Amino acid sequence: MNRQRLTWIVIGVVFAALLVVRGMTGQGLGRVYVQREDVSYARIETRDANGATTLSWKRVAEADAADVRWQEWSTAPPKAWFAAQAKDPGQTAITLSWPRTIGLWLAAFFTLAIFSFLWADNVLYKLAEATVVGVSAAYWMVIGFWDTLVPKLFAALVPAVVQAHVQPSLKPVDDMQWWSMALALVLGGMMLWRLAPRGGWIGAWPLAFIVGVTAGLKIVSHVESDLMAQGLATMESVVAVVPGTGGATDMGASVWGTLANLLVVVGVLSALTYFLFSVEHKGLVGGTARVGVWYLMITFGAAFGFTVMGRIALLAARFEFLFDDWLWLIDPNHLRT
Amino acid sequence: MDRAPHRLRSPWLWAAILAGCVIGWGRGQRAHADAGVAAAPAATESILNEHRLPLAAWIVGIGAATMIFVWRARRGKPPTIRRIAALEAVDEAIGRATEMGRPVLFIPGIQDMDNIQTVAGVTMLGRVAKTAAEYDATVEAPVCRSLVMEAAREAVQASCLAAGRADAYQPDRIHYVTDEQFGYVAHVGGKMMREKPAACFYMGCFFAESLIFSENGNSIGAIQIAGTAESSQLPFFVAACDYTLIGEEFFAASAYLSGEPDQLGTLQAQDSGKVAVMMFMVIGAAVATAGVLLPSATWLGELGVLLRKAMGG
Amino acid sequence: MVLTRVIPLWIAIVSGVAILVSAFIRPMESWGENFTDTFNVIAAIASVLGAGSLLKANLAKVSRRDAGWGFALVVLGTFLITLVVGLGKIGVHPSHDFPQADFGGKQESADTPFGWIYEFAMVPLTSTMFALLAFYVASAAFRAFRAKNLEASLLLGTAFVILLGRTFAGVVLTGWLPEWASGLRLENLSVYVMQVFNTAGNRAIIIGIALGVAATSLRILLGVDRSCPAGGER
Amino acid sequence: MSLRDRLQSLDRRWIFLLMAIAVAGPILWSGLTGSTPPEQPTDAARRVLQVIDDLPEGSRVLFAFDYDPASAGELQPMATSLMRQCAARKLRIVCIALWPLGGNLAQETIANVIRADFPSLREGVDFVNLGFQAGNEGVMKVVLTDFTKAFPKDARGQAAADLPILAGVRTVRDFPLLVNVSAGYPGSKEWVQYVVSASEGSVKMIAGCTGVQTPQMYPYYPGQLAGLLGAIKGAAEYENLLNGVMGGEPAPKYLEAQRRMAPQLFGHLLLVGLIVVGNLIQFMGRRGARA
């Protein structure tokens, strides 16, 4: 047995032992409770003067009067279950949810499996990686189908089907939308032609369309909201006049403001000089470009500092999941006490 | 290359004709509206959006500069372009991968083809694939969008053909993983650790994954060259990669690597745009400052307004 | 040659120029917005190709018994299960607004199999992957943030000021400075850095990118770039 | 092997371990003891408090929820505290969302803050949730000319034009304050560009952003942006100030940001320490080479 495998086994055994100890002490750990809600709807058909019927639904309390019924479960805090059990040990209003409890443990397993990559590539990480690839690829395809194809493409081209099975409140689309969806269907079909044994080249046509339109759209948006807007923002007076008390000018603040404005203008110009391609960075241009690089480096340093904050918050959120939701070690939101 | 057939196929000519047709159609619509056929309130407005005229002027200006510099370049006046270290290193990185017998990893960002950075990234993939085909190195490109996969395959196939190595094109090396950002990251991170590519290229639109990729690449000792226009991710690439193309440099990369006079000409056009913006900023700031210092000179104020209008203000 | 090179080039040019011109013509201003929907639909249809690529790669691994073929089997299994459950809306209760529609329900809650997969597999996996960043930031800070030259020193100096200025540590370190020197307190210093240097740097980057995008677009629209994915010379 | 060599070739897993301890330790400490690290609010947070405090009672506030659950960890504490101050000041709160899941988050925030702690406020009169509208900056352009055209219904399906809270509202200019909690596009930057700039000073704006976005928002502060809360730190400062103003023992939900600052503080200190040590090694190496 090599050393690495031994390390893994020891870590695993110690961890499992700690889990067992945690499970035996206090309130235990890692359970999810749910509250059941019965939903019943009755069908109401109303006939107007012309004899046309409209269908509406009313939420009803008694299951007998309902045409459609189902159950919904929502998560209940463990303290609600503790309280309910203390009052009546036979209650069924709040119950342990096996699917969600298993899910919670699975989520904890996946969290640890991904963290294990920090140590080294290993079988747990590979398993987590395979799962996330399979699940997420399918997830986005399902979302693409139900949230894009159905409400956009099918709603435009086969509205009756969508109305009957998915969204009775669907409104008819205008001509422009119909044509853009018909175009999308044709181009999408050409893309799929790649799967055919011959004539796969036709897939290059929709790609060319997408690239062309993207180029046309982006040139407008970038020149307008970036180039012109940022240029405009720099075309302000460098001299700042800051009003002080009693109508006089606050000299100190004005000098500082002027200096700041001057530094901004110098910075923009010198950093832009750095981006010049057709001039060698020598002499005056080289010197200016160097100042530009200093500005860029300060900008990057600032971005780094701010980004780090968010990253630590994300890690903290994962640890909170492990300590709070799974291990029940801490209870910052008072869900159990 | 024979130029005669090109003239007929000159896209600019056709673009001009098309623009003319569209404007003509627009005018027809307007006449239609004026005749009361479609009496919409908008009928009183001009068909052309005058508020956007400065924008149109800027785009036409940059377009004209591009045409002029491309034309000059074609006439045998190739521009001189400064050295971009990151791009000089591309050949070296691919060469090293060939020597070590390990693959080259190319990530064209995590966005779809409707992002211009992805388009630029896929174009760069074509360039890298061409060099790799010449050196006989393999390029692996896992992608996270189906359309990007198709576009990347197109580009790589074309490059292999251009390098005279049609056999080097293996579509399965460019494969789709998942649309999900961190599912993709999990896969690429694991792949890097297992296959240990010798050179890693990150060219496109990146978000949080920039540092995960570049730190993993660093730990396996790969040469890393990155390029992106996402300013929030630039610090991480600058810190963790060997070379980084910053913002505009990334968009210039494909033209630079092509070495074709036409394409280098477009870089000069980019520069002339930059100089124009810089001049507007200097004059605009100077006029605004003078306006504050000499409040009595009303013509300065008027000039300032005019300059700001030219910038869409 | 014509079908594979010339026509795609022309499709790109014509569609691009049309959308560019439409931005300036009032009745056509909505074209660009409509394109978003068109694109999303094409991308959703094209996901069939992505699924094909994923299935092919993993089936090949399984059938060749490559190293790690078991994991390829996990990819296939989880992919197919999620796809079937999600597309079929299996176990989804009807919608409250129109209970009669058999596919009208939403599958967001953990009540439904698809929602369960999302909440207990996808969320923990992806958000933990995201959280790994905190570790990589730490190792990059140790390894890469070295004051090798003036440029690198500026980068790390700024990062330092921001990092310290954004916690209580900054207050402890420089809070004792008297009022007249309050500008040098870390929290105020970080605000100046942001307002002056960061503004200038970002502005230049943004303008540069805008020009880069314009030039890239023009290379496509004028047919100069022959290696872009829109066909052209090979 | 000298200390320098050992540090130079330090396995990065030791750094990972230090990071794990620096983050996990404070979470456990603050979770078990219930205490939070001390907080000293900066001017930026004070200014946010002041801007809301300066509004006369009954003023309308447009509250835009432009984020989703993925960034709720960083932004929810801000949204909670901002809504709490608005409700306590008896401002009339109109919630909207340009992110699909933002509407749900607005609903949750209303339930957590207004329904739980300000039960006397009436929906439709003192607060309302108009839900999500698709269209990104297109929606912003519409609210500049016709507010109820962009948001025709509230979350319960009632026509916005009939709601007492919106009586007399024509455009976004009828809201003296815009509060935006944002995680990206569309968000604070677009609200400034399209709405605040176009309103010629009649709309003041407070933005709460993620850490990644904050550097991009600073160019607008304190000009077009009246207040800016950056990342969890900004939220913690503001939360601390507000708890001081409100008095009494704050509920756990009003301490969320400050609790989250505990791992931040140690994480940042570790990073600073790592940078210092890394540079010391570099410095020692340079001296050694010269000798």
Side-chain angles (χ1 to χ4, degrees), chain D residues 125-145:
Chain D
V125 182
D126 302 304
F127 68 93
V128 72
N129 178 16
L130 299 179
F132 160 71
Q133 271 306 325
N136 302 337
E137 56 267 54
V139 179
M140 298 181 189
K141 288 177 187 164
V142 178
V143 295
L144 272 172
T145 52

Side-chain angles (χ1 to χ4, degrees), chain D residues 49 84 237-248 250 258:
Chain D
L49 194 82
R84 185 182 179 209
E237 289 174 8
Y238 173 66
E239 199 180 79
N240 178 279
L241 273 176
L242 187 61
N243 284 341
V245 173
M246 302 288 289
Q258 290 174 81

Side-chain angles (χ1 to χ4, degrees), chain D residues 92-94 115 121-129 154 156 158 160 162-167:
Chain D
R92 290 186 286 170
I93 307 163
V94 178
R115 284 193 224 281
L121 300 182
R122 290 153 301 165
E123 182 159 11
V125 182
D126 302 304
F127 68 93
V128 72
N129 178 16
D154 76 356
R156 297 171 303 169
Q158 297 196 354
D162 303 337
L163 295 169
I165 190 170
L166 291 176

Side-chain angles (χ1 to χ4, degrees), chain B residues 247-298:
Chain B
E248 192 182 357
E249 291 179 321
F250 166 54
F251 290 106
S254 139
Y256 182 96
L257 283 184
S258 77
E260 294 165 21
D262 297 22
Q263 299 226 36
L264 296 179
T266 63
L267 295 185
Q268 268 184 312
Q270 233 163 299
D271 276 1
S272 58
K274 226 167 296 162
V275 171
V277 178
M278 285 160 84
M279 276 164 58
F280 262 97
M281 288 194 292
V282 170
I283 298 171
V287 168
T289 310
V292 170
L293 295 176
L294 309 165
S296 55
T298 51

Side-chain angles (χ1 to χ4, degrees), chain D:
Chain D
M1 206 189 220
S2 71
L3 178 68
R4 193 188 79 83
D5 292 337
R6 226 181 273 177
L7 282 174
Q8 182 85 39
S9 58
L10 183 71
D11 190 331
R12 63 178 187 158
R13 285 177 282 196
W14 288 109
I15 297 170
F16 293 162
L17 182 66
L18 286 176
M19 193 63 180
I21 295 171
V23 176
I27 292 177
L28 284 173
W29 167 75
S30 118
L32 292 173
T33 62
S35 46
T36 56
E39 200 56 67
Q40 176 111 14
T42 55
D43 284 345
R46 275 182 224 286
R47 214 186 276 243
V48 170
L49 194 82
Q50 196 60 45
V51 168
I52 298 180
D53 221 34
D54 284 347
L55 288 174
E57 198 177 305
S59 305
R60 283 190 204 92
V61 178
L62 186 62
F63 205 128
F65 284 77
D66 299 335
Y67 62 103
D68 60 9
S71 21
E74 223 178 334
L75 297 175
Q76 190 55 48
M78 274 183 213
T80 304
S81 291
L82 283 165
M83 185 168 280
R84 185 182 179 209
Q85 195 193 353
C86 291
R89 285 280 307 128
K90 297 204 171 65
L91 306 178
R92 290 186 286 170
I93 307 163
V94 178
C95 300
I96 59 169
L98 299 182
W99 282 43
L101 295 173
N104 300 353
L105 289 164
Q107 206 62 36
E108 276 172 30
T109 314
I110 288 174
N112 253 332
V113 178
I114 298 184
R115 284 193 224 281
D117 295 340
F118 301 92
S120 63
L121 300 182
R122 290 153 301 165
E123 182 159 11
V125 182
D126 302 304
F127 68 93
V128 72
N129 178 16
L130 299 179
F132 160 71
Q133 271 306 325
N136 302 337
E137 56 267 54
V139 179
M140 298 181 189
K141 288 177 187 164
V142 178
V143 295
L144 272 172
T145 52
D146 188 348
F147 187 80
T148 49
K149 188 179 166 197
F151 290 93
K153 280 193 297 185
D154 76 356
R156 297 171 303 169
Q158 297 196 354
D162 303 337
L163 295 169
I165 190 170
L166 291 176
V169 170
R170 259 180 351 100
T171 74
V172 72
R173 290 184 186 84
D174 297 313
F175 293 89
L177 181 67
L178 164 66
V179 176
N180 172 243
V181 181
S182 127
Y185 167 86
S188 304
K189 193 173 155 200
E190 287 73 27
W191 280 109
V192 171
Q193 280 179 347
Y194 294 98
V195 175
V196 178
S197 322
S199 76
E200 287 119 21
S202 60
V203 180
K204 274 193 176 176
M205 176 168 162
I206 290 174
C209 305
T210 59
V212 183
Q213 254 184 309
T214 311
Q216 284 142 34
M217 291 315 296
Y218 259 101
Y220 304 107
Y221 173 80
Q224 286 147 303
L225 266 183
L228 175 62
L229 294 177
I232 200 80
K233 167 73 174 159
E237 289 174 8
Y238 173 66
E239 199 180 79
N240 178 279
L241 273 176
L242 187 61
N243 284 341
V245 173
M246 302 288 289
E249 185 66 26
K253 62 186 168 192
Y254 297 134
L255 284 170
E256 220 181 330
Q258 290 174 81
R259 217 177 51 238
R260 296 231 160 107
M261 271 314 283
Q264 289 288 342
L265 174 64
F266 286 91
H268 282 206
L269 288 180
L270 174 66
L271 281 175
V272 168
L274 286 171
I275 295 179
V276 169
V277 173
N279 278 286
L280 277 179
I281 297 170
Q282 164 101 3
F283 182 67
M284 279 154 55
R286 221 183 279 163
R287 251 199 350 201
R290 240 181 253 146

Side-chain angles (χ1 to χ4, degrees), chain B residues 1-305:
Chain B
M1 197 186 302
D2 180 20
R3 207 153 278 147
H6 254 293
R7 210 165 291 153
L8 259 185
R9 296 209 325 241
S10 163
W12 312 339
L13 175 75
W14 289 98
I17 294 173
L18 181 90
C21 292
V22 170
I23 291 169
W25 176 80
R27 284 183 168 239
Q29 289 268 309
R30 187 183 174 189
H32 220 53
D34 287 345
V37 178
T44 51
E45 283 184 337
S46 160
I47 276 300
L48 281 175
N49 189 343
E50 294 91 356
H51 296 301
R52 279 188 149 175
L53 277 183
L55 169 65
W58 273 100
I59 292 176
V60 169
I62 300 171
T66 309
M67 289 188 197
I68 292 168
F69 283 112
V70 169
W71 177 75
R72 270 170 53 113
R74 281 191 181 164
R75 304 272 301 203
K77 286 181 193 158
T80 49
I81 299 294
R82 78 165 155 96
R83 224 176 71 87
I84 300 179
L87 295 174
E88 299 291 324
V90 168
D91 283 5
E92 181 204 327
I94 300 171
R96 206 175 81 126
T98 317
E99 278 168 22
M100 297 173 79
R102 293 211 217 134
V104 173
L105 181 74
F106 192 104
I107 313 284
I110 62 153
Q111 291 287 293
D112 215 330
M113 289 306 287
D114 61 340
N115 187 308
I116 197 95
Q117 293 189 58
T118 313
V119 177
V122 171
T123 313
M124 273 297 285
L125 169 60
R127 301 259 174 243
V128 169
K130 189 171 173 208
T131 313
E134 285 160 0
Y135 284 34
D136 208 11
T138 52
V139 178
E140 292 264 355
V143 299
C144 83
R145 304 284 158 151
S146 304
L147 284 172
V148 177
M149 174 181 82
E150 289 304 322
R153 286 181 176 176
E154 274 287 305
V156 171
Q157 190 180 17
S159 303
C160 289
L161 276 175
R165 289 284 319 275
D167 58 305
Y169 170 61
Q170 291 189 7
D172 290 345
R173 291 197 192 281
I174 300 159
H175 62 275
Y176 168 83
V177 182
T178 164
D179 274 37
E180 164 62 38
Q181 182 182 13
F182 289 103
Y184 177 70
V185 172
H187 174 80
V188 175
K191 193 181 170 76
M192 284 166 93
M193 284 297 175
R194 277 158 232 151
E195 298 180 5
K196 301 204 170 17
C200 299
F201 292 88
Y202 315 111
M203 303 267 169
C205 183
F206 288 89
F207 296 101
E209 62 284 352
S210 62
L211 188 66
I212 302 186
F213 288 158
S214 46
E215 269 296 300
N216 276 328
N218 185 273
S219 76
I220 56 168
I223 290 194
Q224 305 192 89
I225 304 179
T228 187
E230 283 307 313
S231 56
S232 59
Q233 300 309 322
L234 279 166
F236 299 103
F237 277 145
V238 167
C241 290
D242 299 287
Y243 300 96
T244 307
L245 296 164
I246 298 170
E248 192 182 357
E249 291 179 321
F250 166 54
F251 290 106
S254 139
Y256 182 96
L257 283 184
S258 77
E260 294 165 21
D262 297 22
Q263 299 226 36
L264 296 179
T266 63
L267 295 185
Q268 268 184 312
Q270 233 163 299
D271 276 1
S272 58
K274 226 167 296 162
V275 171
V277 178
M278 285 160 84
M279 276 164 58
F280 262 97
M281 288 194 292
V282 170
I283 298 171
V287 168
T289 310
V292 170
L293 295 176
L294 309 165
S296 55
T298 51
W299 62 273
L300 277 173
E302 284 162 24
L303 184 62
V305 169

